[in-house]
Amino acid sequence: KQHGDAASRVLFLGAESAFWILNEEDEEDLKDGTEGLELGEKDLIICPLNDNNDFEREGGAGTHWSLLVARATAEKQLSCEYYDSMGTSSLGAARRLAARLSMLR
């Protein structure tokens, strides 16, 4: 292995998964649905965010993308960074997603 086990500690969350985690209301379904992602084992979680608010059209139905990057701290908490070329257009969604990821770890 070129990078040892480092690659196994990184999760590139798909846009559809980020959308679902952000919008799923049932906490038990969230925990069941994300169990296979092994969020508690990841040191870095990279999450694309789309400004789509139409729950009938998943994933890329919006017009703007931003990025949430969550890093595990030494205390196993998440420290999140938000990247958006338009400033803070999806900051609310990024904060909600960060809170959900923290809850699911």
Side-chain angles (χ1 to χ4, degrees):
K1 289 183 170 180
Q2 182 178 359
H3 300 289
D5 69 339
S8 68
R9 296 189 318 265
V10 176
L11 173 63
F12 291 94
L13 193 63
E16 69 288 345
S17 297
F19 181 86
W20 179 75
I21 291 170
L22 186 59
N23 293 292
E24 176 56 52
E25 295 178 3
D26 187 306
E27 191 173 312
E28 188 174 322
D29 284 350
L30 267 174
K31 289 179 180 177
D32 289 344
T34 58
E35 187 176 324
L37 297 176
E38 299 176 336
L39 294 172
E41 305 300 316
K42 304 304 179 188
D43 293 335
L44 183 66
I45 305 170
I46 301 170
C47 311
L49 287 168
N50 187 274
D51 65 352
N52 173 29
N53 290 323
D54 183 354
F55 302 121
E56 299 297 317
R57 298 177 64 197
E58 290 184 14
T63 59
H64 178 69
W65 290 92
S66 56
L67 190 67
L68 177 72
V69 177
R71 301 172 197 277
T73 66
E75 297 81 28
K76 291 293 185 183
Q77 301 297 314
L78 286 183
S79 174
C80 296
E81 300 166 22
Y82 172 68
Y83 300 94
D84 188 338
S85 63
M86 292 179 61
T88 59
S89 67
S90 296
L91 183 58
R95 286 180 173 157
R96 288 192 315 275
L97 181 57
R100 288 189 169 219
L101 292 172
S102 292
M103 181 263 307
L104 291 166
R105 282 180 53 84

